[in-house]
Amino acid sequence: MDTNAITNAYTAQAQSAAESASASKAKNTSKVAKPAGQKEVGKPQLSEKAQKYYNQLRKKFSHMDFILVSSDKKEEVQANASKYAGNSSLVVLIDEDKIEKMAEDEAYREKYEGILRGAATQMNQMKQSLGKNADSVKTIGMSFDEKGTASFFAVVDKSLASQKKRIEKKAEQRAEEKKKAQRKAEQKRAEERRQEGAGKPGEGSGDTVTVTASSWDELLKKINDTIAMARADSIRSERETWVGQRFDSAI
């Protein structure tokens, strides 16, 4: 028996198996091209398996606006979550480490997807609960800390809230005036008021405030409180103007 031949055959098989394992490992950790439209903070890098899963996740929750965060930017994003918001969809800030683990761990994946499913329902309920106040909310978003606990934030435009109050007040004034004046005269005055207020919608543009919360109920309360305060400030400012006008006329 040729022992050298047998030894060489075993060696070749071992080398082949090692090369196959190495190739498999390289395939699992290789980087793939990112799809167009993928929003990111920093320079996150996902393995091929994680990138495929992330694509599926975004497709499954297509009504949400996902932003992938690199590991070195997690704390920064957590502290400044609102600056990455920008549309009416629910913004989800999620880091690359969680996506990698979700791709590998079924239980971990189900936990987070369960939170996202619940958030979709809560988002709809939030809009209904806000009622007319929803018009003053620019964005609602969520993020996760290292323990997997979700936190929430909303960007409220105070200028829109105060503007809405002014519009409602003008509508009440018009209704009262219609009882005391002819229709034609009232239409003329209403038109004059509309023209006068045409340049005001952009007034205070960028006058936003971010509220954060640990639950949806807390977020709802903070949004409503912020809007109520903005409208109250608007009324106070308007009354101050009236006081000045009355003082002038008294002179």
Side-chain angles (χ1 to χ4, degrees):
M1 179 180 291
D2 190 345
T3 56
N4 289 332
I6 293 175
T7 300
N8 291 337
Y10 278 127
T11 300
Q13 288 178 355
Q15 289 177 341
S16 177
E19 290 173 358
S20 177
S22 177
S24 177
K25 183 177 181 181
K27 181 179 180 181
N28 288 333
T29 58
S30 63
K31 308 304 178 184
V32 296
K34 299 170 183 176
Q38 179 169 304
K39 297 181 180 180
E40 300 178 346
V41 177
K43 297 181 179 179
Q45 296 291 327
L46 296 177
S47 65
E48 181 178 9
K49 184 175 182 179
Q51 183 66 61
K52 288 180 178 179
Y53 167 71
Y54 186 49
N55 295 345
Q56 294 170 357
L57 183 70
R58 292 175 61 200
K59 186 175 181 180
K60 182 183 292 187
F61 297 96
S62 58
H63 52 293
M64 297 181 180
D65 186 17
F66 283 88
I67 300 179
L68 185 64
V69 182
S70 61
S71 299
D72 61 323
K73 294 289 185 179
K74 286 191 289 187
E75 292 185 4
E76 177 185 325
V77 168
Q78 193 73 24
N80 303 283
S82 63
K83 70 182 287 189
Y84 305 104
N87 58 41
S88 58
S89 302
L90 176 65
V91 174
V92 180
L93 298 167
I94 192 163
D95 62 80
E96 59 184 345
D97 293 337
K98 289 185 177 63
I99 294 298
E100 289 286 352
K101 191 169 181 179
M102 290 169 77
E104 295 290 343
D105 189 329
E106 185 176 350
Y108 189 82
R109 175 169 66 247
E110 181 56 33
K111 172 187 174 181
Y112 278 92
E113 289 193 9
I115 294 174
L116 292 173
R117 284 193 293 271
T121 301
Q122 291 286 354
M123 180 73 166
N124 292 331
Q125 293 178 353
M126 171 73 77
K127 290 180 178 179
Q128 293 176 3
S129 298
L130 284 170
K132 294 180 179 179
N133 282 352
D135 295 339
S136 300
V137 180
K138 297 184 68 176
T139 306
I140 294 177
M142 64 186 298
S143 59
F144 304 93
D145 64 16
E146 291 305 311
K147 296 180 180 179
T149 302
S151 59
F152 310 91
F153 64 89
V155 180
V156 180
D157 193 324
K158 295 190 295 183
S159 65
L160 289 178
S162 57
Q163 177 191 344
K164 187 175 182 64
K165 187 66 179 179
R166 290 196 298 269
I167 292 173
E168 291 173 351
K169 192 167 187 64
K170 287 182 180 181
E172 293 173 2
Q173 291 173 346
R174 286 198 296 268
E176 185 66 26
E177 289 170 358
K178 283 181 181 179
K179 299 176 182 179
K180 302 177 180 179
Q182 295 180 357
R183 181 178 296 274
K184 185 175 180 179
E186 169 52 27
Q187 289 176 343
K188 182 178 179 180
R189 284 194 292 272
E191 179 62 28
E192 289 174 352
R193 284 196 296 274
R194 281 195 295 270
Q195 291 177 355
E196 180 183 335
K200 293 183 179 179
E203 204 172 68
S205 178
D207 186 17
T208 61
V209 60
T210 301
V211 295
T212 59
S214 58
S215 70
W216 286 99
D217 288 340
E218 183 186 7
L219 186 66
L220 175 63
K221 183 179 185 304
K222 286 189 174 182
I223 291 172
N224 284 330
D225 288 348
T226 300
I227 292 173
M229 189 177 296
R231 290 178 177 173
D233 289 342
S234 176
I235 292 174
R236 280 195 294 270
S237 297
E238 190 173 353
R239 284 176 177 169
E240 289 171 0
T241 302
W242 292 347
V243 170
Q245 291 174 344
R246 289 172 183 172
F247 180 80
D248 292 341
S249 63
I251 294 175

